[in-house]
Amino acid sequence: MAGVMTFNDDVPVAIVVLGMGAIDTARRIQARYPGSLVHGLVGRVKADVAFTELGPHLRELYARNTPIVALCAAGIVIRCLASALADKTHEPPVLAVAEDGSAVVPLLGGLGGVNVMAREIAAALDVAPAITTSGELRFGTCLLNPPAGYVLADIEQGKRFVSDLLAGATTRVEGHAPWLDAADLPRAADAGLAIRITPHTSKVAGELMIHPRCAIVCVTALSPSPEQSIVERVRQILREQRIASMSLAAVLAPLSMMASAPLAEAAQTLDLPLRFGTLPASFQTLESRDDGMTIALAPHPVDPTMLGQARGTLTVIGLGPGSANLMVPAARQALAQADDVLGYETYVRMAGPFAPHQTLHCTDNREEMQRARHAFELASTGRNVVVVSSGDPGVFAMAAAVLEALDQARDNEQWNAVELSIVPGVSAALATAARAGAPLGHDFCMLSLSDNLKPWAVIETRLRHAAQADLVMAFYNPVSRARPWQLDRALDIVREHRSGETLIVLGRNIGRPGETLTTTTLDKLHSSQVDMRTMVIVGSSTTRSFARANGDGDWVYTPRWYE
Ligand code: SAH
């Protein structure tokens, strides 16, 4: 029995635009679907996700079962997807929307909820959707596509049912189906056909079965019988209670089980949201032989987000040096799923645009420990929290502060239950090196010249050793208004060990507006060429350069070998 899921808000919608003319409409549609992203054609329009060719991009989204809203001619979308249609494994909703928002045309994914989306988008744009499905036109609703919270049990059975109705049969409605009240159905109390709304399994010919997602699995103990997995136990209990698996809305467990990996895996295998807390009184618990697990039923479909809380996530990401195309996709994804974004204001702004439901917490650059603690506080209430750093979060940035905060709070169960992850980014030294060529092609070290958090004597010792060891050096935080003399002092130490000919690369605002790249030598370098937005790379004795063929400066590199 194949279940058909209605489109739900968990799958991020891809809104595809080809030019600036469509961006306003795209953003209006985006506001309707939290978490959705606007995909823009490179060179024509800047959006959340860049793509270079429409056809392959649409086919890839389609193959990944992503709902697609393409702001272009329906014909273009049809041509692009034609070759992908033979593969019947997925059928995500696909719609064409006129650039100016004047027409909404559902194209594919009738069973994936395309007409529902067409109505939603049309309502957001204040136009009428172009619905063409005959059952839907006749009855005013698509019987095979019940609203969120309800699942059609069997699509083939459903299709037969609808064609019987179209051929003149009548039907009863058994159970609570409020959305059918407004439908123009050929009802008769004594009809042979019935639409049955029930969480239970049953197979009766001539019935269109719809399961309300009103059942939840309550797990209170992990393994009364260690040899049986949680998933097997769930399947067994469903069989015993004759509850359809499609009726399940969530797995609920006590707060104390929040960090359990087997539980998280089981929920993922069952494709159910995992919530933590206590069972609301409105649920009826079914008796069970398994003393660590029960099924509970609510009178109506359950919105899992109203049940206890989720396991919060805290993701520390690096934005890269500045430009969107140097941010890793995992960081982009974390931002798209974030409820809260914390960081130094400049970086938070760099991480946008944000959806209206996302909360920004901008703080001063010096309040790192406070920010880290605030992030844990938010995440432990079940929110998806992202802390942003520029470059890589582990290089002189927030990841270490976040771990320090957690280390200091070992006894804090809530903080320790948060799902913490760190997403790397392109650090300023790497971004600068790539612009210059490959100055970090051999052994190198990264040093922060800031003595805010470490004694200057430590910095001097490290500089001396690194210079003696002939390491290429990348200087972060080379100067600031509060630290005016440190760079000159550092360069004096380097000059004691390296020749005046040593190559220096200065990258300023790399990947940001007004980016500059300068190549010079140790004896010509002056601290006035450097500010706090500059990365200073000091070459080793083998670092060399040659003129670029286009005459645009030099390539700088450090060979991989030593003489
Ligand atoms: N986590 C960051 C570094 C933070 S320390 C990273 O991995 O890149 C801040 C220092 O990084 C600045 O003083 C500057 O030296 C360097 N920096 C950061 N972004 C830069 C950029 N876009 N161009 C050049 N240097 C940059």
Side-chain angles (χ1 to χ4, degrees):
M1 193 188 275
V4 178
M5 289 277 298
T6 50
F7 161 71
N8 68 54
D9 288 350
D10 300 347
V11 189
V13 177
I15 302 160
V16 181
V17 298
L18 301 176
M20 277 312 290
I23 202 80
D24 284 349
T25 307
R27 295 291 183 208
R28 284 170 73 190
I29 298 170
Q30 185 177 32
R32 177 62 186 75
Y33 298 106
S36 63
L37 294 173
V38 178
H39 299 228
L41 181 62
V42 164
R44 295 280 181 78
V45 56
K46 239 183 122 187
D48 311 332
V49 177
F51 66 90
T52 47
E53 260 187 284
L54 182 65
H57 190 64
L58 286 183
R59 286 191 289 278
E60 191 188 323
L61 290 169
Y62 185 86
R64 289 204 200 147
N65 208 16
T66 309
I68 299 170
V69 180
L71 278 83
C72 62
I76 296 179
V77 183
I78 292 167
R79 265 177 227 287
C80 286
L81 289 180
S83 65
L85 297 185
D87 172 17
K88 274 275 165 60
T89 46
H90 298 304
E91 177 101 322
V94 178
L95 302 97
V97 173
E99 266 198 8
D100 62 359
S102 61
V104 179
V105 188
L107 295 174
L108 295 166
L111 301 171
V114 74
N115 286 339
V116 175
M117 276 187 78
R119 289 182 199 283
E120 289 169 351
I121 293 172
L125 299 174
D126 204 15
V127 294
I131 306 288
T132 54
T133 320
S134 48
E136 178 149 354
L137 290 172
R138 176 87 74 86
F139 309 129
T141 178
C142 178
L143 288 177
L144 304 186
N145 188 209
Y150 297 85
V151 192
L152 178 67
D154 183 339
I155 180 63
E156 292 310 321
Q157 188 193 36
K159 283 183 184 165
R160 267 195 312 276
F161 186 92
V162 170
S163 56
D164 286 348
L165 286 197
L166 286 170
T170 55
T171 183
R172 293 169 283 137
V173 177
E174 303 284 350
H176 186 60
W179 74 97
L180 292 180
D181 291 349
D184 192 10
L185 288 174
R187 288 182 197 240
D190 59 349
L193 300 184
I195 299 172
R196 184 175 298 279
I197 292 89
T198 172
H200 290 279
T201 46
S202 78
K203 246 189 189 164
V204 183
E207 289 203 340
L208 178 78
M209 180 102 75
I210 292 173
H211 296 305
R213 308 192 104 200
C214 64
I216 59 172
V217 183
C218 306
V219 180
T220 50
L222 273 184
S223 52
S225 62
E227 64 284 356
Q228 205 185 13
S229 76
I230 299 175
V231 174
E232 285 164 11
R233 285 164 61 201
V234 172
R235 298 213 167 113
Q236 182 177 338
I237 211 165
L238 288 175
R239 272 194 307 274
E240 286 168 7
Q241 314 275 3
R242 295 184 50 251
I243 298 288
S245 60
M246 283 176 248
S247 303
L248 290 179
V251 177
L252 181 69
L255 291 165
S256 59
M257 286 171 75
M258 202 177 256
S260 161
L263 191 57
E265 269 168 45
Q268 199 170 14
T269 307
L270 294 165
D271 198 18
L272 290 174
L274 177 55
R275 309 287 300 181
F276 299 91
T278 49
L279 188 68
S282 56
F283 280 78
Q284 176 208 345
T285 307
L286 306 179
E287 254 176 62
S288 157
R289 288 190 291 132
D290 184 332
D291 52 10
M293 189 183 285
T294 49
I295 301 285
L297 291 179
H300 299 296
V302 176
D303 174 357
T305 62
M306 303 302 283
L307 206 60
Q309 66 162 85
R311 182 183 186 192
T313 64
L314 172 48
T315 312
V316 191
I317 66 165
L319 301 174
S323 57
N325 61 359
L326 289 180
M327 190 194 302
V328 308
R332 170 71 59 208
Q333 197 185 337
L335 282 171
Q337 289 165 355
D339 299 313
D340 298 276
V341 180
L342 290 81
Y344 178 46
E345 189 174 355
T346 316
Y347 302 146
V348 171
R349 240 187 282 118
M350 236 162 77
F354 294 100
H357 74 280
Q358 298 184 300
T359 311
L360 310 183
H361 309 264
C362 300
T363 43
D364 190 81
N365 218 0
R366 287 165 193 269
E367 295 162 9
E368 279 134 348
M369 288 309 294
Q370 208 178 311
R371 185 189 299 150
R373 293 190 198 104
H374 187 197
F376 276 111
E377 284 303 328
L378 288 166
S380 55
T381 67
R383 297 173 72 86
N384 293 323
V385 179
V386 168
V387 171
V388 299
S389 285
S390 77
D392 180 273
V395 177
F396 310 121
M398 281 307 295
V402 164
L403 288 173
E404 192 180 333
L406 187 60
D407 196 10
Q408 287 169 359
R410 295 251 187 102
D411 301 333
N412 187 325
E413 269 178 46
Q414 278 93 31
W415 287 21
N416 279 281
V418 165
E419 190 176 344
L420 173 64
S421 49
I422 293 153
V423 175
V426 177
S427 193
L430 308 185
T432 302
R435 293 285 202 254
L440 309 180
H442 203 83
D443 300 346
F444 67 93
C445 63
M446 293 173 167
L447 296 165
S448 169
L449 295 193
S450 167
D451 56 351
N452 285 341
L453 299 171
K454 63 185 165 186
W456 178 253
V458 171
I459 299 177
E460 286 206 358
T461 309
R462 290 192 181 156
L463 278 168
R464 198 161 271 125
H465 283 93
Q468 277 169 356
D470 202 26
L471 291 170
V472 174
M473 289 178 264
F475 292 163
Y476 287 76
N477 300 311
V479 282
S480 78
R481 235 169 285 140
R483 296 181 288 105
W485 54 264
Q486 281 86 338
L487 179 62
D488 282 320
R489 179 75 194 113
L491 293 174
D492 286 345
I493 293 170
V494 175
R495 285 186 183 111
E496 287 172 26
H497 303 277
R498 299 255 165 114
S499 92
E501 303 300 303
T502 302
L503 285 171
I504 305 281
V505 172
L506 302 177
R508 184 166 189 277
N509 281 331
I510 296 297
R512 300 182 192 175
E515 154 175 346
T516 60
L517 185 76
T518 312
T519 304
T520 180
T521 55
L522 190 55
D523 55 9
K524 293 203 189 95
L525 175 64
H526 196 268
S527 61
S528 63
Q529 292 169 279
V530 176
D531 67 6
M532 61 188 292
R533 292 152 170 226
T534 312
M535 163 55 51
V536 180
I537 297 180
V538 179
S540 71
S541 63
T542 65
T543 304
R544 56 186 70 184
S545 69
F546 61 94
R548 299 188 194 214
N550 64 5
D552 193 9
D554 292 335
W555 284 117
V556 179
Y557 74 103
T558 306
R560 294 158 302 141
W561 41 265
Y562 250 74
E563 271 152 13

